[in-house]
Amino acid sequence: MLQRSEHVVQLTHREAEVLQLVSIGLSAKEAAIELYISPCTVERHVENVRLKTRTRNRAHMIAHVIREGLLNGAQPAGTHIAA
């Protein structure tokens, strides 16, 4: 049986924005255009979220954040998006 992680994930506002765009299928370049930042910066935010969530790759990261309720403002207890 799968259980929610006990690990508390704190995302910055920008990490949450990037995560939202990546989760709907935008590439780093497309997300960068949307957010007026460079594609390398988008990739850095994705990597930071991946490390914070202790996930193996981008697909695992997206599945994890959906399962943990970190998208669309739905956050389980113990998580926080920092300003």
Side-chain angles (χ1 to χ4, degrees), residues 11-60:
L11 302 179
T12 66
H13 180 70
R14 185 60 95 179
E15 287 169 345
E17 287 178 317
V18 168
L19 185 58
Q20 185 67 43
L21 294 174
V22 169
S23 73
I24 61 171
L26 268 61
S27 67
K29 184 176 180 180
E30 293 166 331
I33 291 168
E34 185 77 22
L35 297 172
Y36 302 102
I37 59 178
S38 79
C40 290
T41 303
V42 170
E43 290 294 349
R44 187 71 240 162
H45 287 306
V46 168
E47 182 64 10
N48 287 342
V49 172
R50 192 190 65 72
L51 292 171
K52 286 180 179 183
T53 56
R54 301 176 181 174
T55 51
R56 294 182 297 275
N57 54 46
R58 191 178 289 217
H60 183 217

